[in-house]
Amino acid sequence: MVFGVVVIGLALLPLTSVYPYFIMQILCFALVAGAFNLLIGHGGLLSFGHAMFFGSAGYITAHAVKVWGLPPELGILAGVAACAGLAALAGAISIRRQGIYFAMITLAISQMLYFVYLRAPFTNGEDGIQSIPKDRMFGVLDLADTTVLYYVVLAGFILGTLAIYRTINSPFGQVLKSIRENEPRAISLGYRTTLYKYVAFILSGTLAGFAGSLKVFVVQNASLTDVHWSMSGEIVLITLLGGLGTLLGPLAGAFVIISSQHHLAEFGQWVTVLQGAIFIACVVAFRRGIVGELAKVLKISL
């Protein structure tokens, strides 16, 4: 019910004076943070490499739409499929390790891809892929219309969030939570824990790629910024700020971080310092994150 109220509020935003591209960026970052939250909040796996899925999908989608001339829906499908394959490969390498070793392997793979994209001809290096065309999706939805694009991004956010909700409330999700809480006991009950974590990693990477593909049409470019290690750190920050293991936490965290970047841009590099101060305050005062603490007070699941 709470999620439904939030969705209705987001659907009515174009009727207000709120800048739509600002909200669309929040929705994209909320989706990638939700995908990351699926992995760490319910699987207990800390990845420092989710930027590779977010950025890779952007590059693939941008190239498919601009160079290959594919329609937006096929461009998004190409980006998501590429990230599913990338997640399967990266997961096969890293998933047998735990803790800091798993985190460092994902970071290493992500940085390796960063340098590949820096040198690959199709990415245009530091210039990135610019001026992504906004054609008609499914031959009907004109993405050049800001309102139409907004509702397409909103629909993508809703579908992605519902997929996460269904995953964590399925038998698979319950086993994943048991692995997070006590993996040796889950093994003793006969569960192949490595396989469960591997599937969760692929799902998380695929959804992160979906968010990256949507973001391409919002900002109309694919750049190295989205595959840099700092983007992975930002995703972690958004997730922790909103609340681990919560459905609406990534949206709240994305709103705080993107809002600070948008409204405090005049402070330049000091924005990072201010975000750090916000994070420290959250860790000290809201150990469960914004939504996590709110859910505790209201005694409901958010």
Side-chain angles (χ1 to χ4, degrees):
M1 291 177 64
V2 175
F3 180 71
V5 172
V6 171
V7 168
I8 291 173
L10 290 171
L12 295 176
L13 275 178
L15 303 178
T16 67
S17 59
V18 178
Y19 187 50
Y21 283 94
F22 169 65
I23 303 300
M24 282 189 276
Q25 287 192 56
I26 290 177
L27 293 176
C28 291
F29 277 98
L31 182 54
V32 68
F36 176 73
N37 201 13
L38 171 64
L39 189 65
I40 186 175
H42 300 279
L45 296 171
L46 173 60
S47 167
F48 281 145
H50 259 51
M52 62 179 162
F53 307 121
F54 190 58
S56 295
Y59 272 123
I60 299 299
T61 298
H63 187 77
V65 172
K66 184 174 182 179
V67 179
W68 296 342
L70 295 181
E73 64 274 14
L74 292 183
I76 292 174
L77 183 61
V80 172
C83 279
L86 176 60
L89 179 60
I93 298 172
S94 61
I95 205 66
R96 294 184 182 277
R97 299 294 178 262
Q98 297 181 359
I100 192 64
Y101 303 104
F102 171 80
M104 289 298 102
I105 291 174
T106 56
L107 176 60
I109 297 173
S110 179
Q111 281 301 97
M112 180 184 68
L113 283 175
Y114 170 83
F115 287 107
V116 168
Y117 292 137
L118 178 62
R119 298 297 181 183
F122 83 96
T123 64
N124 297 324
E126 295 182 353
D127 294 330
I129 303 177
Q130 307 289 335
S131 303
I132 310 302
K134 294 181 179 180
D135 296 328
R136 290 182 178 273
M137 179 174 282
F138 302 113
V140 178
L141 304 174
D142 185 8
L143 298 186
D145 187 321
T146 303
T147 303
V148 173
L149 178 60
Y150 175 84
Y151 284 113
V152 167
V153 173
L154 178 59
F157 168 75
I158 293 172
L159 289 174
T161 304
L162 290 177
I164 294 170
Y165 176 80
R166 182 68 187 94
T167 300
I168 62 180
N169 288 283
S170 66
F172 171 84
Q174 298 304 313
V175 174
L176 199 61
K177 292 176 185 177
S178 71
I179 294 173
R180 178 197 63 192
E181 296 298 329
N182 194 330
E183 185 171 354
R185 185 170 184 179
I187 294 174
S188 70
L189 293 173
Y191 292 109
R192 299 172 60 186
T193 58
T194 301
L195 180 60
Y196 277 88
K197 291 189 290 185
Y198 181 54
V199 173
F201 188 85
I202 294 175
L203 288 173
S204 180
T206 302
L207 287 170
F210 181 46
S213 293
L214 290 176
K215 182 175 178 287
V216 162
F217 296 100
V218 176
V219 300
Q220 282 194 281
N221 71 76
S223 66
L224 289 170
T225 303
D226 291 339
V227 289
H228 194 257
W229 65 266
S230 59
M231 180 58 70
S232 293
E234 191 167 316
I235 294 170
V236 173
L237 176 60
I238 290 173
T239 306
L240 295 179
L241 193 61
L244 285 178
T246 60
L247 186 66
L248 296 177
L251 181 61
F255 178 79
V256 173
I257 296 300
I258 303 303
S259 295
S260 65
Q261 293 176 350
H262 180 74
H263 295 293
L264 303 177
E266 60 186 48
F267 292 99
Q269 295 298 323
W270 283 97
V271 174
T272 305
V273 177
L274 293 172
Q275 287 179 346
I278 293 172
F279 178 65
I280 292 173
C282 181
V283 170
V284 173
F286 308 101
R287 297 298 296 273
R288 296 177 178 83
I290 298 172
V291 174
E293 290 292 341
L294 185 61
K296 180 185 177 184
V297 171
L298 298 178
K299 296 181 180 180
I300 59 176
S301 177
L302 297 174

